[in-house]
Amino acid sequence: MYSRAQSPRTAVVVGAGMVGLATAWHLQERGIEVTVLDRSGVGAGASWGNAGWLTPGMAMPLADPTLWSYAPKALLDATAPLHIPARLDPKLWAFLARFGLHATAKAWRKAMAALTPIDRIALDAFDELTSSGVDAWTRKGPFIIGFEGEKESGPFIHEIQQVEKAGQRVPLTRLDNPQVKVPQLSAGVSTVYEMDEQRFIEPGPFVQALADAVPARGGRILSGMDVRSLRHGPNGISVESYGQEPVNADVVVLATGAWLPALAKPLGVKTMIQAGRGYSFSVATDHPAEFPIYFPARRVACTPYQGRLRIAGTMEFRGPDEPLQTGRIDAILASVRPLFTNMDLENLEDIWVGARPVTPDGLPVVGATRSPGVYVAGGHGMWGIVLGPATGKLLAEQIATGHIPEQIRPFDPLR
């Protein structure tokens, strides 16, 4: 087994989503032999059907003071963007209690200050991948931000102003005659802004391209590996999966998203991680969709996707493996019908639900556990795609050198 005096030679990364694959890629950059394990396959979790937004300017804490205005509705209205099932679930209610404690302006500013350093390098981390053999693209916006009335735009503009105060640049420009530029918008969308200096991807193809790059550089990706335990021994750390031969390595990275607590909690990672499930589907449009569209008041994000428009939304606090709830798709459709035109909202394709790993304080868990040689990378909430490559780069540096980069110090898994 390797010591702190030397860099590890081999690593196992558990989880083949954006975060896990980016970590694997950057470990390879440092000369470490990598094996990636996943129970379902590449990008099978939250990395496939999300909106694919590379928007560091919006990568902010989920808990904010507005929670107290819309949380009661989430309990009483099954169509609300935030959905909390009415049932006895002690773990969920314990999470919500801690989540609520962070829904203050002071806590939000503290978390935003912690996120800003990694937000600022997020897009450069994508450029490093695409310029070094990952055969995929990122595309600039602008992002179209739509509201049904002027008054609705106030909270979003305030949030962006706070993000800029924390150290980012997020240009917003009022758009005149928005239906000319974006024919998908109905006349009911009266107030529209363009948000610049952000990008988007098609997440499934991008994650697959990243996965293709790992074996092309000598790594392995093994599917059907439902990891159940880790065991230290004379050959390093043995990663044991149900019905499969163990895989040994000097170090192990757990990047299993909403499923992270099962393996990480026994290793001293006490930060709660709750599955915040998002839904998406795609529709055909009469005119080609060119720009991402966001309706902050409805919390619906839309992205051009393989000739169609992907519509994504909701934050549903359920178990990560629970069945898809068709009512959530109906709720998203009901919320956007008054806002869209020139598209077919009856014939849905690519219907999907995925579990995003949400922490109470809005910060990821990235770094070393109490178990020697075992690291975690997760808890990014809605921002695992945009922060995944930067997370992988910074964690690989910590693993290879023993030095913790400043950008991930606030994400200490043992906090």
Side-chain angles (χ1 to χ4, degrees), residues 75 83-93 96 274-275 277 316-323 325:
L75 290 170
H83 180 59
I84 303 170
R87 63 187 181 190
L88 183 61
D89 186 338
K91 287 185 179 179
L92 173 59
W93 291 106
L96 292 173
Q274 168 65 40
R277 305 202 313 171
E316 178 191 49
F317 288 142
R318 286 185 182 268
D321 293 312
E322 290 189 46
Q325 305 293 307

Side-chain angles (χ1 to χ4, degrees), residues 114-151:
L115 286 167
T116 295
I118 194 170
D119 285 346
R120 293 178 67 175
I121 65 172
L123 297 182
D124 289 342
F126 275 88
D127 290 338
E128 182 174 0
L129 294 176
T130 57
S131 65
S132 302
V134 177
D135 186 15
W137 50 261
T138 69
R139 191 163 296 163
K140 295 181 179 180
F143 282 65
I144 306 301
I145 315 297
F147 305 90
E148 294 167 82
E150 182 76 35
K151 184 178 180 180

Side-chain angles (χ1 to χ4, degrees), residues 39 88 92 110 270 283 320 363 381 412:
R39 67 173 186 169
L88 183 61
L92 173 59
K110 181 180 179 181
K270 304 302 184 185
V283 299
L363 301 182
D412 182 0

